Every structure is written in structure tokens, then in C-alpha cells.
């Protein structure tokens, strides 16, 4: 506890310092974006006292990282009010309702990767197009190209949001459990041993056959963990290049299903459903030794396993089968926002390098702004909790190698259907073929 | 009204007016104001019941998704056709019936027994009466989370107990019948006390003379229960059956939370009820048209089930009534 609070304190201080610097630098160039909005609105989009509402889900961490307070110093006339819904699915339902009725929209609306495709395909005209804002070119240059592309229409002409964080994936593992099983446990060796899913599964079999591993412990948390990572390593995941669901013909689904059901049948998975209480408990109980680990998962592990497991967890600088992403969000401004210009100014400020660096240092949100990812404060970051792993470099390298398949309207539901059936392969020994056709039935219920 | 009309009468002006018309229209004086008094209820009823019913019926005839609500297209009864040829619907339909039976029948029988016991002059009777109502006062979410822990296949208390006494453990989450029993246990636990209290109130309305007379005729407690309590409680029992049937048909919160808030009712939909299916179709799968069709189908199922209950009760009632009249005509027979 003392360590983490100190860390937060330092981060908050540096955030304030960074923001002070930005405020001086930022005021000069942002005068251009005001001209389009109104004659002398200033860098904050307005000179009037304004309360901006920001629609978020879960814990975005802007407030916790002190960014709202910091913005008050940049723009003293702007007050920010968060409008938070706990679950992103509930948030999305509410956002859809508001988009359909055209009322009740916040000035800024968060958009998650799970529904960004829907926003792009069905609601692009209801959001400010970031390709036509005065700072468009500068905004676009900040981000990883794929991050920008995911929030853009296929012709690239309309972009509905500016990126917040991304979720480059590596493998997090319990080095103490691997040691106990008599297996290599240093990240460099493991990076070589886990270069492909086949090798990863072979390693899992060695773990399972170890006579010294803790009884009841398995190598990986779930077949779902393998699947939902490997599926995005294909040319296609759940959708074809037109963004239409096409599960049966996807190379990503085919390969991922083969690896995941292989892992399940080889008995190297703990058979837990992700994000259930039993899975949460397993981070400390040792029911599994490794899992696919996007950056934000590190914070999740720390929260579930607690300080007693600091130094027992580690991060291997590898993802079997190639670099992919899991999660991440954008911030959009509805065309019907009450304070559009001020909202645009706020989103641009939040997406800028210094703020994304702060979000990484204080919240563990990996920057989607590639300049922020290259910043020494991110690139040289190490994690005390994860055995001093050079997480900034690990996830930065993965981010720069990332290939992203097309995404579509129903990816969340399709993935849920497939991973649910993998649980049946793991726990009820359903044959992979039966499970796959059951998943296709469930998917048909979604796609109609 | 009265205050205003009195001066008229006193000033004699009333005599100038024809006093009759109100009465000739068949409405009693002052009754119009009654409509004003009941109006707020019907406004709320119209806004929150009638309008949603009609709107749901309308949506059920369209291919509608929330995300593309303005583009929904008329497809007639296709959603209903889809539903009736849909394995997920029939699975949920079966589950709703089986969970309904497993939860309602033991629940009402136990409630009746408990009420009968509490009707005696027990020491600390008030305590027991309050205690049986406690589960009903417990929040559904809290209760379900606790039950989910108890029934946890790996770490739960129930499987631990089975293990201790060398019985095979049960997959209370993954297997069809055990998981349905577990969900039913939550429902039973929550509602038994509530029904017991309703029965108790019904029992206390039964004339004690009947019990005295029955006792005098040599009827034991069981005979008293069968021949005095049960017939006396018939309307109450009918009420609880109707309410429980509606509740069972709409079962939603328990199976939702039993699978950590996922509306699939288990990895093989083994305890997905119609309520869950509707929610999944509408909010997870974003198919509001299909979900609306499910909603209307559920409504019709409930209406049919309730009518069946009432019809059976009325038939029985008539038969009993006939028997009662025979009994009344030949009183000596009953005594024996």
C-alpha cells in the first residue's frame, strides 16, 4: 500500500508539472482551431463559464490521474462533470438510445473498441469528424495509424473519435509457480519458448506433467484467453474486409479455435470463465500460471492478487503468434453536443502526448498516441509489481509491430458465443466440432 | 362541492334550476369527481403499461435494432415465426416451466405447512413470523450472490459438505437439473415466508367455531387441516398460485445473477428462462424486434396459464360446491 500511494503521489505531481508546461506551449498553436468555431473563443473553445459533461464507462481514470484539476488550470472557465456508467455494455445501450432519440448526449462520449465499428458504420454523421476539425492533421499525426483507422470509415474520410488507450498484449505469468514446476522462469528464455502457440501449448503440457507443480494448478487460465488473443492474429477475425460478420470463413477464427480447443483438450487450461469471481480468486490461489495480458490486465492482476504477490508475477516480452491488441477506447464529440467547440478542445488536450503519458504513469493505460509511447517516461517504465519487468519497452515494441484485422458490429457478442462454447470443451468435454456449431447457432441469433 | 352548493340552496336560486338532469343521466351526484380522482392512476397506467404494450407489439412486427432504430423495417409476423422455430426459444420455454414447477410447488407446500404451524399458539410466535419474512426482505442480488457461492462447484459449501460425507459432488453450475434446482432453491428460499404469511392471514380469517365443531366431532389436527383449513383457504391458495405462476413465468434476476450477470443462463443455456432470453435478444444481441415478439409471447403464455389456473379452480369450486350442498342436505354423513 505505501508503495502504490507514493507512486500515485509522484505521478500526480509530475502530471501537474507536465501540464503546466503544456499549458504554456499549447495555447499558441490552438488559436487556429478557434477561428472556425467563433472569432475569439480562445484555446478552450469558449470564453464563457461552461460545464462540460463527459460520458464514460467503468474507470477511465482521468479524474483519478488529476487531469480534470489540471484542465481547470489550463482553462479556468471550464468545469468538467463526469457521467459514468459502470458497465460498458450498459453504457453503450444508453448511448444508442440517446443517439436514436438525438437528445441527452454528453459533450464528450467515450467509445470502446467493442462498439466503435457500430458508431463508425451507423452513427458517423452524428459525431464530429476529426478529419475536418482545424487541428485535423496534427491530431492524426499523433496516433498509431491503426488506432486512427479503427475509428474511421473505410474510405478514411470520417473519423469519429480520438484515441485514449490501447491494449497491446504480452504474456503475464507466475514465475514462482513455473520455478516450482522445475521449468524456466526468466522472461528472456520464455520469450523464445513461447514464440508460437504450438510451442506455448507444448510448454503447458510440460507444466501439467510436472510432479512438483502445485496440485490443482494449470498452465493457462482459460481456452478463451488463448482464443481471443489468437483470433486477432489472422488476416480476418470475425469480419471480412467490408466489416460484415463472416465467422465461418475467417482464418483467425479457424486457427484460434484449433489452438484453443487443443489447449482445452490437452488439459493445460484451468477451465475458468474470464471475469467471474472464480477467475478473480485464481490470481492469488495459483489455479493458473499464465494468461494473455494486455497492458490494462496488469492493473487488474495487481488488484486481484494483491500486494502479497508482488514480485511473483512477471511479464514475458512475447505474444505467441504475433503482436495483437485487446481493448482500448476513443473519445468522440456528438454533433448535438451543447458545447461542441469546448468539447473538441478538451478531447484534443486529453489525447495529446503529455496527458497520455500521465494516464500511463498513473493509471496503467498504454498510450494510443505513438509520441507518448516513445516518451522516456513510458518507454523506460518498469513495473515493481511485475518483478521489475521493462513493461514500457515490452508493450511499446508490441504496439509498433501490431497488425489489426477488420472489426465489425457484433465482435463482442460473437467472441462471447465462441469463448462460452470453449468453456464447454474445457469443463464438459464437448467435442470441439459440436461446440463450434453450437457457437455458430448462437452467433446466428445475433447477426439475424 | 358541498360547500359551494350550499349557498345556492340557501339563497333559493336552486329552485330556479331544474334539479333533475343529473339523475336522469343515471350518474349519481358527485360521481364525476370520482373520475378525476382515479384519473392519475389511469394516466400512469396508460403511460407505463398501455403505451409500452402497444409499442412493444408494434416493434415486434419490425426488424429493429437499437443502433439503427430509424431504419427499422416492417416484417409482419416474421419475428414470431423465427421465435417458434427457434431452439433457443423452446429451450427457454421448457426451462421456464421446469424451474417454475421445481420452485413453486415445494414453495407453496412448505408455506402452507409453516403457516399451519405458526397458526398454533407457539412461544415466540411473533419472532417466527418475522423471521420467515426475512428472506423476502433480503435483496435479490445479495441472496443470489450468496447462493452462487454456496453452490459453487469447486469452492462451494454444499459440494464441500457432500465431499465430507463421501457423496459425489455435483456440478451445480454446468449440469441442467442441478443448476435448475439451485436457481429454484433461491426462489423458494426468498418466497416461502412471504406465501406462508399470506396463508397465515387467510387461516386467521377462518372462523374458529369451525375448528371447535370439527374437534367436537372428533377430527384430529390433520383432519382439521384437510377439512377446515384447506377449504377455507381456497381463495388464498388460488391467489398465491396465480401470483407464483406469473412470477415463475417472468423469472429473471436469479438466473441472471447465478451466471455472474450473463443472460445466457449457463454455458449451454441450461437455466435460461424466457425472461433472460428476451433480455439477451434485446440488449445483448441488439434485436429489439425479436425481443418484443418474445415479450408478447410471454405475456400471452402468462394469460393462458392464469386463465387455466382460474378455470381449474372454478371447476373444482363448482364440484366442491355441489358436494357441499349434498353434504349440507345430509349432515349426518359428514360427522362419520
Amino acid at each position: 500500500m505505501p508503495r502504490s500511494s507514493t507512486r500515485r503521489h509522484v505521478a500526480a505531481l509530475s502530471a501537474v508539472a507536465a501540464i503546466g508546461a503544456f499549458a504554456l506551449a499549447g495555447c499558441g498553436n490552438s488559436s487556429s482551431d478557434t477561428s472556425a468555431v467563433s472569432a475569439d473563443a480562445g484555446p478552450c473553445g469558449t470564453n464563457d463559464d461552461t460545464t462540460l459533461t463527459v460520458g464514460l464507462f467503468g474507470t477511465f481514470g482521468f479524474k483519478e490521474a488529476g487531469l480534470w484539476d489540471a484542465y481547470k488550470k489550463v482553462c479556468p472557465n471550464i468545469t468538467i462533470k463526469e457521467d459514468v456508467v459502470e458497465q460498458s455494455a450498459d453504457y453503450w445501450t444508453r448511448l444508442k438510445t440517446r443517439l436514436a432519440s438525438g437528445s441527452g448526449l454528453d459533450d464528450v462520449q467515450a467509445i470502446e473498441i467493442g462498439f466503435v465499428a457500430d458508431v463508425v458504420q451507423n452513427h458517423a454523421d452524428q459525431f464530429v469528424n476529426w478529419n475536418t476539425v482545424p487541428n485535423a492533421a496534427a491530431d492524426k499525426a499523433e496516433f498509431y495509424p491503426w488506432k486512427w483507422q479503427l475509428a474511421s470509415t473505410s474510405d478514411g474520410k470520417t473519423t469519429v473519435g480520438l484515441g485514449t488507450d490501447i491494449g497491446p498484449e504480452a504474456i503475464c505469468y507466475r514465475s514462482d509457480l513455473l520455478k516450482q514446476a522445475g521449468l524456466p522462469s526468466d522472461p528472456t528464455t520464455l520469450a523464445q519458448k513461447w514464440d508460437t502457440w504450438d510451442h506455448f501449448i507444448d510448454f503447458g503440457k510440460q507444466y501439467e506433467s510436472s510432479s512438483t507443480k502445485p496440485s490443482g494448478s494449470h498452465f493457462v487460465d482459460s481456452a478463451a484467453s488463448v482464443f481471443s488473443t489468437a483470433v486477432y492474429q489472422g488476416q480476418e477475425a470475425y469480419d471480412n474486409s467490408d466489416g460484415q460478420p463472416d465467422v465461418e470463413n475467417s482464418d483467425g477464427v479457424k486457427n484460434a479455435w484449433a489452438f484453443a480447443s487443443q489447449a482445452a483438450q490437452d488439459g493445460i487450461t484451468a477451465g475458468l470463465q474470464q471475469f467471474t469471481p472464480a477467475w478473480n480468486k485464481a490470481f492469488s490461489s495459483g489455479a493458473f500460471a499464465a494468461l494473455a495480458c494486455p497492458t490494462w490486465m496488469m492493473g487488474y492482476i495487481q488488484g486481484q492478487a494483491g500486494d502479497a504477490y508482488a514480485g511473483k508475477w512477471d511479464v514475458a516480452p512475447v505474444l505467441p503468434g504475433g503482436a495483437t491488441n485487446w481493448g482500448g477506447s476513443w473519445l468522440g464529440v456528438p454533433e448535438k453536443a451543447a458545447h461542441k467547440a469546448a468539447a473538441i478542445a478538451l478531447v484534443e488536450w486529453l489525447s495529446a502526448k503529455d496527458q497520455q503519458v500521465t494516464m500511463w504513469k498513473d493509471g496503467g493505460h498504454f498510450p494510443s498516441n505513438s509520441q507518448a509511447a516513445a516518451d522516456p517516461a513510458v518507454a523506460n517504465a518498469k513495473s515493481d509489481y511485475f518483478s521489475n519487468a521493462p513493461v514500457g519497452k515490452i508493450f511499446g515494441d508490441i504496439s509498433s509491430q501490431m497488425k489489426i484485422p477488420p472489426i465489425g458490429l457484433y465482435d463482442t457478442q460473437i467472441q462471447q458465443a465462441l469463448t462460452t462454447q470453449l468453456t464447454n470443451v474445457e469443463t464438459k468435454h464437448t467435442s470441439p466440432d459440436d461446440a463450434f456449431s453450437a457457437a455458430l447457432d448462437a452467433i446466428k441469433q445475433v447477426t439475424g | 362541492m358541498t360547500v359551494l352548493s350550499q349557498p345556492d340552496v340557501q339563497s333559493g336560486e336552486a329552485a330556479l334550476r331544474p334539479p333533475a338532469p343529473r339523475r336522469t343521466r343515471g350518474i349519481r351526484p358527485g360521481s364525476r369527481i370520482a373520475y378525476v380522482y382515479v384519473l392519475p392512476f389511469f394516466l400512469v397506467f396508460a403511460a407505463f403499461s398501455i403505451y409500452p404494450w402497444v409499442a412493444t407489439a408494434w416493434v415486434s412486427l419490425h426488424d429493429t435494432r437499437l443502433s439503427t432504430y430509424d431504419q427499422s423495417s416492417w416484417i409482419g409476423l416474421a419475428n414470431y415465426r423465427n421465435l417458434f422455430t427457434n431452439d433457443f426459444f423452446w429451450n427457454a420455454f421448457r426451462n421456464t416451466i421446469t424451474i417454475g414447477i421445481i420452485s413453486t410447488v415445494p414453495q407453496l407446500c412448505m408455506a402452507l405447512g409453516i403457516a399451519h404451524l405458526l397458526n398454533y399458539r407457539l412461544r415466540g410466535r411473533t419472532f417466527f413470523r418475522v423471521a420467515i419474512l426475512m428472506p423476502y426482505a433480503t435483496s435479490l442480488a445479495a441472496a443470489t450472490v450468496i447462493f452462487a457461492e454456496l453452490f459453487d462447484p469447486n469452492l462451494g459449501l454444499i459440494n464441500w459438505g457432500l465431499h465430507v460425507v463421501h457423496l459425489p459432488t455435483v456440478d451445480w453450475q454446468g449440469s441442467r437439473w442441478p443448476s435448475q434446482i439451485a436457481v429454484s432453491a433461491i426462489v423458494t428460499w426468498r418466497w416461502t415466508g412471504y406465501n406462508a404469511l399470506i396463508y397465515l392471514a387467510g387461516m386467521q380469517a377462518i372462523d374458529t367455531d369451525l375448528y371447535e365443531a370439527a374437534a367436537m366431532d372428533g377430527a384430529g389436527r390433520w383432519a382439521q387441516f384437510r377439512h377446515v383449513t384447506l377449504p377455507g383457504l381456497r381463495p388464498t391458495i388460488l391467489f398465491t398460485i396465480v401470483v407464483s405462476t406469473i412470477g415463475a413465468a417472468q423469472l429473471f434476476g436469479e438466473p441472471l445473477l447465478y451466471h455472474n450477470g450473463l443472460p445466457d443462463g449457463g454455458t449451454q443455456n441450461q437455466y435460461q428462462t424466457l425472461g433472460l432470453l428476451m433480455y439477451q435478444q434485446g440488449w445483448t444481441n441488439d434485436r429489439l424486434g425479436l425481443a418484443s415478439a418474445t415479450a408478447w409471447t410471454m405475456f400471452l403464455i402468462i394469460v393462458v396459464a392464469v386463465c387455466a389456473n382460474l378455470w381449474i379452480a372454478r371447476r373444482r369450486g363448482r364440484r366442491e360446491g355441489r358436494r357441499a350442498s349434498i353434504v349440507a342436505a345430509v349432515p349426518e354423513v359428514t360427522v362419520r
Side-chain angles (χ1 to χ4, degrees):
Chain A
M1 286 306 283
R3 185 186 53 246
S4 70
S5 66
T6 330
R7 195 172 74 105
R8 192 162 299 167
H9 193 67
V10 171
L13 277 178
S14 58
V16 171
I19 282 142
F22 178 82
L24 292 172
C27 290
N29 64 11
S30 48
S31 57
S32 58
D33 73 312
T34 59
S35 56
V37 181
S38 76
D40 52 346
C44 305
T46 174
N47 290 322
D48 303 332
D49 282 347
T50 304
T51 300
L52 287 180
T53 53
V54 180
L56 304 172
F57 50 84
T59 312
F60 252 77
F62 292 132
K63 190 174 165 190
E64 292 76 3
L67 288 183
W68 296 155
D69 291 342
Y71 198 62
K72 193 79 194 170
K73 295 201 176 72
V74 181
C75 296
N77 59 326
I78 306 283
T79 306
I80 289 160
K81 214 174 110 219
E82 289 192 349
D83 174 19
V84 182
V85 176
E86 185 56 36
Q87 301 288 333
S88 69
D90 299 335
Y91 168 86
W92 171 224
T93 300
R94 194 162 77 151
L95 178 57
K96 275 187 285 191
T97 312
R98 290 175 173 185
L99 288 168
S101 68
S103 69
L105 289 159
D106 292 317
D107 294 309
V108 176
Q109 292 281 357
I111 302 167
E112 209 229 335
I113 195 161
F115 50 84
V116 71
D118 200 333
V119 174
V120 168
Q121 287 188 27
N122 295 321
H123 305 286
D125 56 337
Q126 289 173 279
F127 281 87
V128 166
N129 179 2
W130 294 94
N131 288 303
T132 59
V133 298
N135 280 340
D139 287 344
K140 187 173 179 180
E142 292 181 326
F143 295 98
Y144 288 109
W146 61 267
K147 181 74 179 179
W148 183 270
Q149 184 52 47
L150 285 180
S152 304
T153 50
S154 49
D155 60 9
K157 284 186 181 147
T158 308
T159 303
V160 298
L162 294 189
T164 58
D165 58 329
I166 58 174
E169 279 190 89
I171 300 285
C172 291
Y173 65 97
R174 284 276 299 273
S175 54
D176 59 325
L177 293 182
L178 295 188
K179 261 190 214 121
Q180 205 179 325
L183 292 166
S185 63
D186 69 293
T188 327
T189 314
L190 291 176
Q192 289 160 5
K193 293 208 172 273
W194 292 349
D195 59 341
T196 66
W197 287 110
D198 283 327
H199 292 165
F200 185 74
I201 292 169
D202 284 344
F203 189 94
K205 286 198 269 193
Q206 286 175 38
Y207 183 81
E208 299 295 332
S209 61
S210 159
S211 54
T212 52
K213 68 150 184 146
S215 70
S217 176
H218 294 280
F219 178 54
V220 67
D221 66 323
S222 61
S225 176
V226 174
F227 180 84
S228 45
T229 303
V231 71
Y232 286 108
Q233 292 168 340
Q235 289 297 314
E236 287 177 5
Y238 304 117
D239 310 279
N240 60 26
S241 50
D242 303 329
Q244 295 305 310
D246 188 12
V247 175
E248 277 160 288
N249 300 316
S250 152
D251 62 329
V253 169
K254 189 162 163 267
N255 293 331
W257 186 266
F259 292 134
S261 52
Q262 186 64 44
Q265 289 184 314
D266 286 343
I268 68 163
T269 67
L272 298 167
Q273 281 182 276
Q274 294 197 312
F275 306 103
T276 61
W279 185 72
N280 290 342
K281 279 179 203 156
F283 284 101
S284 52
S285 76
F288 58 80
L291 81 162
C293 192
T295 30
W296 48 264
M297 191 71 87
M298 294 196 298
Y300 195 89
I301 293 172
Q302 204 168 338
Q304 294 299 335
D307 283 350
Y309 287 81
K312 293 182 175 168
W313 282 94
D314 205 338
V315 186
V318 67
L319 190 66
T324 64
N325 173 73
W326 181 2
S329 297
W330 290 261
L331 294 174
V333 175
E335 282 290 351
K336 287 201 174 166
H339 312 286
K340 211 158 78 176
I344 291 172
L346 173 66
V347 171
E348 285 179 337
W349 182 80
L350 283 171
S351 315
K353 180 183 156 190
D354 290 337
Q355 280 60 250
Q356 292 219 351
V357 169
T358 302
M359 287 301 289
W360 161 256
K361 286 196 293 193
D362 206 35
H365 300 274
F366 198 83
S368 59
N369 180 321
S370 52
Q371 295 159 18
D375 187 276
V378 178
N380 299 339
K382 295 192 170 175
S383 166
D384 292 350
Y385 190 89
F386 287 85
S387 310
N388 221 19
V391 288
K393 181 172 172 12
I394 295 175
F395 289 110
D397 286 352
I398 289 175
S399 303
S400 61
Q401 298 161 17
M402 210 108 74
K403 282 186 315 194
I404 305 291
I407 58 172
L409 298 182
Y410 309 118
D411 290 6
T412 310
Q413 294 96 322
I414 291 172
Q415 180 154 308
Q416 180 70 47
L418 288 158
T419 52
T420 297
Q421 289 305 325
L422 280 171
T423 306
N424 289 331
V425 177
E426 288 174 278
T427 59
K428 300 182 73 68
H429 308 293
T430 311
S431 86
D433 290 345
D434 289 351
F436 193 74
S437 70
L440 289 181
D441 286 346
I443 290 165
K444 200 167 273 173
Q445 295 299 306
V446 183
T447 55
Chain B
M1 283 296 279
T2 37
V3 174
L4 285 176
S5 59
Q6 249 161 359
D8 292 352
V9 177
Q10 281 171 347
S11 66
E13 280 173 7
L16 298 174
R17 289 190 195 153
R22 279 185 184 175
R23 221 157 270 197
T24 52
R25 266 186 253 145
I27 302 170
R28 289 194 201 154
S31 67
R32 275 188 193 166
I33 196 73
Y35 288 110
V36 177
Y37 286 140
V38 297
L39 190 63
F41 168 77
F42 280 98
L43 285 179
V44 173
F45 181 69
F48 293 101
S49 288
I50 295 177
Y51 170 70
W53 280 337
V54 175
T56 307
W58 182 247
V59 170
S60 77
L61 303 173
H62 292 75
D63 182 10
T64 302
R65 289 178 187 269
L66 186 52
S67 189
T68 51
Y69 198 78
D70 49 343
Q71 299 160 28
S72 41
S73 55
W74 172 270
I75 52 166
L77 294 173
N79 280 327
Y80 291 90
R81 258 199 306 281
N82 180 343
L83 206 59
F84 296 134
T85 55
N86 185 323
D87 292 340
F88 289 85
F89 172 76
W90 291 112
N91 172 61
F93 182 72
R94 271 195 304 276
N95 289 346
T96 307
I97 292 177
T98 50
I99 294 175
I101 292 171
I102 308 171
S103 60
T104 307
V105 173
Q107 179 197 134
L108 294 183
C109 292
M110 270 161 35
L112 206 53
I114 292 171
H116 184 66
L117 293 177
L118 287 179
N119 204 18
Y120 291 120
R121 290 181 194 289
L122 297 172
R123 198 175 296 158
R125 193 164 61 161
T126 316
F127 168 77
F128 288 119
R129 285 181 185 178
V130 173
I132 57 159
L133 205 62
M134 286 309 287
Y136 175 64
T138 309
S139 109
L140 168 69
T144 309
V145 168
I146 298 292
F147 271 86
E149 295 268 317
L150 289 176
F151 282 110
D152 187 295
N154 299 316
L155 311 157
L157 194 66
I158 291 175
N159 267 359
W160 176 81
L162 290 172
H163 181 72
V164 164
V165 297
H166 300 290
L167 285 171
T169 57
V170 178
D171 184 0
W172 296 105
Q173 181 61 244
S175 304
R176 179 170 292 270
W177 289 109
S179 63
Q180 294 200 358
I181 290 170
V183 170
S184 302
I186 308 169
V187 181
T188 307
W189 178 80
R190 274 195 87 222
W191 291 93
T192 301
Y194 170 84
N195 284 309
L197 220 61
I198 290 180
Y199 287 147
L200 187 59
M203 285 175 186
Q204 289 179 338
I206 298 172
D207 195 344
T208 45
D209 291 352
L210 290 174
Y211 288 100
E212 280 172 25
M216 224 174 279
D217 291 338
R221 284 200 162 151
W222 174 242
Q224 286 178 25
F225 177 73
R226 275 192 57 200
H227 297 293
V228 180
T229 310
L230 277 187
L233 272 185
R234 178 154 296 132
T236 315
I237 291 173
L238 184 65
F239 168 75
T240 56
I241 289 178
V242 168
V243 170
S244 300
T245 306
I246 295 173
Q250 296 180 335
L251 188 65
F252 174 74
E254 289 87 348
L256 178 76
L257 293 169
Y258 193 64
H259 200 205
N260 307 302
L262 292 177
D264 58 4
T267 56
Q268 295 179 319
N269 314 110
Q270 59 269 30
Y271 51 88
Q272 186 176 48
T273 59
L274 285 171
L276 281 186
L277 178 71
M278 177 179 77
Y279 183 87
Q280 188 182 35
Q281 289 168 336
W283 302 119
T284 309
N285 298 353
D286 200 21
R287 298 182 70 185
L288 290 183
L290 191 61
S292 300
T294 310
W296 260 93
T297 309
M298 273 176 74
F299 178 64
L300 295 178
I301 291 170
I302 292 172
V303 168
V304 168
V306 169
C307 288
N309 277 334
L310 294 174
W311 182 72
I312 293 167
R314 194 162 303 156
R315 252 174 56 116
R316 274 195 63 117
R318 219 176 290 142
R319 220 189 307 145
E320 297 283 324
R322 220 178 301 135
R323 200 189 298 159
S325 59
I326 296 165
V327 166
V330 198
E332 292 88 351
V333 181
T334 36
V335 177
R336 295 288 129 79

